[in-house]
Every structure is written in structure tokens, then in C-alpha cells.
């Protein structure tokens, strides 16, 4: 039977002893302002793409296809997209 070692947990007093941040009181919370009010010019998130090139879709794929593309690691969605783009371009050239 495998024995597990209990992880050491830190207590609230441990955290207070090493914290440089003072505890907030009710009056501190009452004086607090929203982020947007304090930093009105700071950009949040990535923002919109300058020229969106891709569309978000929901797609069901067979387990075989997922296994194939995920086998090479991260970036599998991009590899699926690249493969589909190649096929679409090849088909459109054949149609012309």
C-alpha cells in the first residue's frame, strides 16, 4: 500500500507574519474605487483584432482526427486550420 505524505499547510498567522500588505478594514473597502475609475486610460485585455482573420466556430471532430493532431503537442488547432486551408486552396484551384 502506498503511503502519502501530508502537504504542509500555511496558517493565516503564517501568512500575516510574512505579508507586507495590511489588512483592509470596512472603511478601506468603503473608500475603494473601481479599477476603471482609478486607471481610466489603462487598456484591459487584448482588445479587438485590427483585422480579424479567423472566426470562432464549434466543430465536432472524430477521436481519430483529434488523436492525430494532438500527437504532435500544442498548436493542434492551428495545424488543423492549416490543413483545412491547404485543402480548400487546392480544391478552389482545381475548380478554376
Amino acid at each position: 500500500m502506498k503511503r502519502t505524505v501530508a502537504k504542509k499547510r500555511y496558517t493565516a498567522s503564517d501568512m500575516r507574519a510574512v505579508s507586507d500588505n495590511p489588512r483592509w478594514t470596512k472603511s478601506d473597502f468603503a473608500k475603494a474605487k473601481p479599477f476603471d475609475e482609478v486607471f481610466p486610460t489603462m487598456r484591459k485585455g487584448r482588445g479587438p483584432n485590427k483585422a480579424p482573420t479567423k472566426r470562432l466556430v464549434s466543430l465536432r471532430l472524430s477521436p481519430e482526427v483529434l488523436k492525430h493532431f494532438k500527437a504532435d503537442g500544442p498548436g493542434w488547432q492551428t495545424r488543423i486550420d492549416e490543413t483545412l486551408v491547404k485543402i480548400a486552396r487546392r480544391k478552389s484551384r482545381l475548380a478554376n
Side-chain angles (χ1 to χ4, degrees):
M1 180 164 43
K2 229 180 194 184
R3 243 181 143 165
T4 59
V5 178
K7 290 183 181 180
K8 186 172 185 174
R9 305 269 188 229
Y10 295 102
T11 65
S13 63
D14 293 333
M15 296 307 287
R16 280 192 301 277
V18 298
S19 175
D20 293 339
N21 298 326
R23 274 192 176 265
W24 274 44
T25 63
K26 287 184 180 184
S27 65
D28 291 328
F29 280 104
K31 290 186 274 183
K33 296 179 181 176
F35 183 88
D36 292 342
E37 192 177 312
V38 179
F39 301 103
T41 58
M42 187 175 265
R43 195 178 106 191
K44 293 184 293 186
R46 291 179 59 185
N49 291 337
K50 290 181 182 174
T53 57
K54 295 184 180 180
R55 292 246 167 121
L56 178 64
V57 296
S58 177
L59 180 66
R60 292 181 183 270
L61 300 172
S62 69
E64 183 180 3
V65 170
L66 285 176
K67 183 179 177 183
H68 171 78
F69 282 96
K70 284 185 172 185
D72 291 333
W76 60 270
Q77 292 108 325
T78 302
R79 288 191 296 277
I80 290 174
D81 180 61
E82 289 167 351
T83 303
L84 292 172
V85 167
K86 285 178 190 175
I87 292 168
R89 287 182 180 156
R90 191 177 313 142
K91 293 244 182 195
S92 67
R93 272 184 282 169
L94 293 175
N96 292 331

